[in-house]
Amino acid sequence: MSEPKKRRSLLGLIFASIGMFGFAFALVPLYDVFCDITGINGKTATTPTETSDRVDTSREVTVEFVAYINPGVRWQFTPQVKQITVHPGETKIIKYDAKNLNKVATIGQAVPSVTPGVAAKYFNKIECFCFNHQPLEGGENAELPLVFYIDPDLPKEIETLTLAYTLFNVAMDNPTVEQHSEVDNVKAL
């Protein structure tokens, strides 16, 4: 192969590598934009909100509650109720039950998502166990409260939405987090 052809091939490979790196780097923001446009991914707010100042008693919305446990996390984690019917703007309280099945203390963190994804911005959490880590001693149980309302501006065509939490072991996922022996973040209503 001649020297100019080798140089062109090398430059082509370099530009292709730079292009692939740039595309991979842009995937996360592109995915977030795609999810925002299409309503996929149902991310909810990560901070508390205030109670609603209005209630729409002319309609009802069914809210379903689901709990998942990340593989390798030895906890039981379930909602106390599977579904409720609410008026948009009406404040409701439900609780999840959690139990650490380990013999040692572990720290859990619940990550929420809402389906359909477009409904996520209308699901408002006033108080949520998902805002904090949940340390539990080995064998310990806890009731984890969720205080929420559905925004009255929820599109009329959405009559049912599902709130799903996935429970992760924070210490397993983040080795810099220490295991605690005290339960100081679990608040009961």
Side-chain angles (χ1 to χ4, degrees), residues 41-42 44 63-68 77 79 96 110-115 123 125 129-130 146 161-167:
N41 203 10
T44 63
V63 182
E64 301 171 334
F65 301 97
V66 180
Y68 300 105
F77 179 58
Y96 279 67
V111 177
S113 66
V114 173
T115 305
F123 192 93
K125 295 174 292 202
F129 56 89
C130 63
L146 166 65
L161 58 91
T162 302
L163 174 66
Y165 283 101
T166 302
L167 184 71

Side-chain angles (χ1 to χ4, degrees), residues 26-42:
L27 274 179
V28 171
L30 288 173
Y31 178 74
D32 286 341
V33 169
F34 174 77
C35 289
D36 287 343
I37 291 170
T38 62
I40 298 173
N41 203 10

Side-chain angles (χ1 to χ4, degrees), residues 68 75 77 96 107-113 125 128-134 144 164-170:
Y68 300 105
W75 283 37
F77 179 58
Y96 279 67
I107 303 170
Q109 177 70 53
V111 177
S113 66
K125 295 174 292 202
C128 182
F129 56 89
C130 63
F131 296 147
N132 303 305
H133 292 158
Q134 303 302 323
L144 307 176
Y165 283 101
T166 302
L167 184 71
F168 294 89
N169 182 336
V170 176

Side-chain angles (χ1 to χ4, degrees), residues 52-126:
S52 177
D53 57 354
R54 61 191 171 101
V55 176
D56 181 357
T57 56
S58 68
R59 70 187 271 220
E60 292 183 332
V61 176
T62 301
V63 182
E64 301 171 334
F65 301 97
V66 180
Y68 300 105
I69 301 172
N70 195 42
V73 178
R74 295 194 59 238
W75 283 37
Q76 289 176 344
F77 179 58
T78 56
Q80 289 181 352
V81 296
K82 300 292 185 202
Q83 77 177 37
I84 61 173
T85 302
V86 302
H87 295 289
E90 177 182 22
T91 299
K92 288 292 187 175
I93 301 170
I94 66 127
K95 295 179 183 179
Y96 279 67
D97 290 322
K99 181 176 183 179
N100 179 0
L101 301 176
N102 295 292
K103 292 183 180 181
V104 297
T106 57
I107 303 170
Q109 177 70 53
V111 177
S113 66
V114 173
T115 305
V118 295
K121 67 181 177 181
Y122 301 98
F123 192 93
N124 295 286
K125 295 174 292 202
I126 298 166

